Amino acid sequence: MRTLNVDLGARSYPIHIGSGLLADGDLYRPHLRSLQVMIVTNETVAPLYLEPVRQALDGLQVREVILPDGEVYKTLEVWNRIFDALLAERFARDCTLIALGGGVIGDMTGFAAACYQRGVDFIQVPTTLLAQVDSSVGGKTGLNHPAGKNMIGAFHQPRAVIADTDTLVTLPQRELSAGMAEVLKYGFIRDAAFLDWLECHMTELMSRDPEALAHAIWRSCEVKAQIVAEDEFESGSRALLNLGHTFGHAIEAGVGYGEWLHGEAVGAGICLAAVLSARLGWLTEAELERTRRLIAGAGLPTGRPAALSPERMLELMAVDKKVLAGQLRLVLLRQLGEAVVTSEFDRDELNHILA
């Protein structure tokens, strides 16, 4: 096991990364303020991993709520089931929620923890690559709205992140590829050397080599922890973590939540951001082709879905959390390994790359 910390003063917390962590009660107990623990998971993850977590918490008042699986269920209606369970069991404000699952479960559980009795503790136990390297770290929580992804939510930091790499053994290959989009993102925005390493080790990563995956997860979490410590509430550098996401969120909402996985949409979004960066003269044609090759090598799409019109893409992109004073801002690449948030691009150029 390796541990790194997200340094946020009184809200600091550890990220534990390693094999066999799910059933290690010593990782959970220092972060529990009472005996009351509610595990939130879904119908896919529960048969695989609920029992080891329950056993790790033996002797406590452990209950669970099992939600349907999928991005399409990241709604207010389904989210309310968490409150139904907490209230039915009379959980108090010193209880702890445990998010056992992928990014959807982590986001919903974290947002429920932010709201229940005006805020209770929660622990992230991510079981997908995407959740382990991205959504479980940083305290962003939320739900989807038909008009836009993650438009309802709150910043609420977990008490700990417990990332058991053994859970990746049962991960479908499509989900592994989706997680690689977020791993690659860290190289594109801040670490060119990591991008080089990923390019050299993509075959091992996609074949689930444990050592390669452990390093990729560690470095991804390290970069994200640094950025979150710099800018917890996304008023500056943290927005760089949204490379590809403005395009990607529009794709997810446009084709219908769940049709494209989040990481698939982000992969396509990174390529679109690179195309616009190249048209601005920031990336060379060789760098643009390298970007596409890296994304494709992870088994991800490199362009928007044909069924989604440019007009609809632009309409959905206008409903984005980075829009300020009516101006759309995008995360673009000055070079591979350096990103910038900017509104200084020609709207005609944006229309052109979506055409």
Side-chain angles (χ1 to χ4, degrees), residues 31 37 61 66 70 75 100 123 174 179 184 195 206 209 247 258 264 315 350:
H31 308 291
V37 178
Q61 183 186 337
I66 300 175
T75 64
L100 175 64
I123 296 171
R174 187 182 173 194
L184 284 163
L195 199 63
M206 297 311 294
D209 177 80
F247 295 104
E264 293 170 337
E315 179 184 338
L350 179 58

Side-chain angles (χ1 to χ4, degrees), residues 307-328:
L308 187 58
S309 71
E311 295 77 19
R312 181 60 177 152
M313 275 281 290
L314 289 168
E315 179 184 338
L316 289 164
M317 288 169 67
V319 186
D320 183 86
K321 295 184 289 296
K322 291 184 297 303
V323 172
L324 287 180
Q327 278 198 311
L328 176 64

Side-chain angles (χ1 to χ4, degrees), residues 42-107:
N42 67 35
E43 294 166 344
T44 300
V45 173
L48 298 170
Y49 302 120
L50 178 57
E51 192 53 35
V53 177
R54 285 188 62 89
Q55 290 178 5
L57 301 170
D58 184 51
L60 304 176
Q61 183 186 337
V62 180
R63 302 291 184 268
E64 67 270 343
V65 55
I66 300 175
L67 304 178
D69 183 17
E71 188 80 31
V72 69
Y73 298 109
K74 194 175 168 184
T75 64
L76 283 165
E77 292 76 18
V78 174
W79 178 65
N80 196 51
R81 298 185 196 179
I82 302 173
F83 298 116
D84 290 342
L86 290 166
L87 291 166
E89 296 292 340
R90 302 193 180 198
F91 270 41
R93 66 187 314 171
D94 59 355
C95 72
T96 300
L97 277 60
I98 292 179
L100 175 64
V104 171
I105 286 294
D107 281 5

Side-chain angles (χ1 to χ4, degrees), residues 165-176:
T165 54
D166 291 350
T167 62
L168 303 183
V169 173
T170 58
L171 195 66
Q173 193 67 21
R174 187 182 173 194
E175 294 272 4
L176 185 75

Side-chain angles (χ1 to χ4, degrees), residues 248-288:
H249 287 171
I251 290 170
E252 288 184 84
V255 299
Y257 293 122
E259 290 299 314
W260 278 44
L261 297 179
H262 174 67
E264 293 170 337
V266 167
I270 290 173
C271 289
L272 289 168
V275 173
L276 184 54
S277 300
R279 291 188 69 85
L280 292 173
W282 294 347
L283 295 186
T284 66
E285 282 300 315
E287 289 172 322
L288 175 58

